[in-house]
């Protein structure tokens, strides 16, 4: 997918979320995002009017916008059966929902123009236990991680007005060999591939914490424990 050959991608939905309780403890989350018909301002830290309950792990400059392919919804229905949250975009807490663009197509450093804003792909999504609560399945976060259907995040390089009718166009590919799918493969499947880990450790387009996973694995010869993130152990 070269920028000069790419077709504009139509947004299926542009979504933001208010804070609501996600569990019996009253843990606040912005995962329940709703479509917006009008224009929104996209700032460096995300859409004005969008909220995150845990700013340590969600949101911020490197996770300003979350994109989840609408293409995956059909697959999820076939795997987990009917789920009310899959009846409309926003099931995975995404800000952008599109068709025809997946983790196989998008790479770290890809830049997209959306309205007056310029976005750059920063990282894949690391699913957390809040998806378990969202779907009513104790292993939903783990299913998402194992499937590779994680979606991805953007950093915002240029702020601006965005609406759902705006064309979504790729304008630059800075590191096309490191697709979100390939990055997922070496983080969660072929987890101790030394050559790949060295590449990831030196991939400056990735946020520091993602490069640190590779650096630590190379140093310790061990993969980090995912249980707390996926199952919510010791959270809160």
């Amino acid at each position: 997918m070269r920028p000069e050959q790419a077709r504009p991608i139509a947004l299926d939905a542009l979504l933001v979320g208010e804070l609501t309780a996600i569990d019996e403890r009253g843990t606040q989350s912005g995962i329940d995002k709703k479509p917006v018909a009008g224009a929104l301002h996209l700032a460096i830290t995300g859409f004005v009017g969008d909220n995150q309950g845990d700013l340590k792990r969600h949101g911020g400059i490197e996770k300003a916008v979350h994109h989840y392919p609408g293409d995956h919804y059909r697959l999820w229905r076939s795997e987990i059966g009917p789920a009310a949250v899959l009846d409309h975009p926003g099931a995975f807490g995404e800000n952008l929902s599109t068709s025809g663009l997946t983790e196989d197509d998008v790479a770290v450093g890809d830049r997209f123009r959306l309205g007056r804003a310029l976005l750059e792909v920063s990282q894949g999504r690391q699913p957390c236990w809040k998806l378990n609560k969202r779907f009513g399945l104790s292993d939903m976060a783990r299913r998402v991680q194992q499937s590779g259907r994680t979606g991805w995040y953007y950093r915002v390089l240029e702020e601006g007005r965005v609406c759902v009718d705006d064309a979504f166009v790729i304008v630059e590919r800075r590191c096309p060999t490191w697709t979100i799918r390939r990055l997922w493969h070496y983080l969660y499947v072929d987890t101790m591939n030394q050559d790949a880990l060295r590449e990831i450790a030196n991939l400056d387009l990735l946020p520091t914490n993602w490069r640190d996973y590779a650096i630590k694995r190379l140093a310790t010869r061990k993969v980090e424990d995912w249980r707390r993130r996926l199952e919510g152990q010791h959270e809160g």
Side-chain angles (χ1 to χ4, degrees):
M1 181 177 61
R2 293 197 298 247
E4 63 271 19
Q5 296 176 330
R7 294 178 297 127
I9 300 160
L11 287 180
D12 296 329
L14 173 65
L15 308 102
V16 297
E18 298 289 341
L19 292 180
T20 56
I22 192 71
D23 62 13
E24 62 282 355
R25 296 174 298 175
T27 304
Q28 296 292 294
S29 171
I31 196 171
D32 186 18
K33 300 196 187 300
K34 307 295 185 184
V36 175
L40 292 173
H41 180 73
L42 179 54
I44 293 297
T45 55
F47 286 104
V48 172
D50 194 32
N51 294 273
Q52 295 82 34
D54 181 358
L55 293 176
K56 181 179 179 181
R57 297 176 179 87
H58 301 282
I61 291 174
E62 297 292 351
K63 298 180 183 178
V65 177
H66 179 226
H67 188 151
Y68 197 82
D71 312 67
H72 296 334
Y73 278 50
R74 177 183 57 81
L75 293 171
W76 284 119
R77 290 189 194 97
S78 70
E79 291 177 10
I80 67 174
V85 293
L86 289 172
D87 289 343
H88 48 75
F92 296 85
E94 63 265 37
N95 298 113
L96 304 180
S97 177
T98 59
S99 300
L101 194 67
T102 72
E103 294 83 359
D104 294 301
D105 308 308
V106 173
V108 176
D110 283 358
R111 291 180 174 180
F112 290 84
R113 178 67 67 180
L114 177 60
R116 296 179 181 174
L118 181 65
L119 293 76
E120 181 177 88
V121 176
S122 58
Q123 59 191 288
R125 182 195 187 158
Q126 292 184 292
C128 78
W129 63 272
K130 293 184 177 70
L131 285 173
N132 303 338
K133 299 295 184 181
R134 176 84 166 147
F135 281 82
L137 294 171
S138 62
D139 64 345
M140 188 62 188
R142 191 172 294 275
R143 286 171 182 253
V144 171
Q145 179 169 293
Q146 290 174 340
S147 73
R149 301 193 294 268
T150 61
W152 57 90
Y153 286 104
Y154 299 95
R155 54 178 72 95
V156 178
L157 302 181
E158 295 177 10
E159 299 186 10
R161 176 185 177 277
V162 171
C163 69
V164 71
D165 295 327
D166 288 331
F168 189 55
V169 185
I170 188 166
V171 295
E172 184 178 0
R173 308 206 76 189
R174 302 181 65 197
C175 190
T177 59
W178 273 105
T179 63
I180 297 298
R181 173 69 68 173
R182 185 181 177 210
L183 185 62
W184 164 84
H185 178 78
Y186 289 117
L187 284 176
Y188 301 122
V189 181
D190 188 5
T191 55
M192 290 305 299
N193 185 302
Q194 303 294 294
D195 291 338
L197 289 175
R198 279 189 282 270
E199 283 194 55
I200 292 171
N202 290 291
L203 188 55
D204 291 340
L205 290 171
L206 277 177
T208 300
N209 64 316
W210 278 63
R211 299 199 304 271
D212 284 346
Y213 291 129
I215 292 169
K216 290 176 182 177
R217 289 184 193 180
L218 288 167
T220 65
R221 299 297 192 266
K222 293 181 180 179
V223 177
E224 63 279 1
D225 189 344
W226 303 324
R227 287 176 298 177
R228 179 176 180 179
R229 172 171 54 80
L230 294 174
E231 300 170 13
Q233 292 185 6
H234 312 301
E235 291 277 354

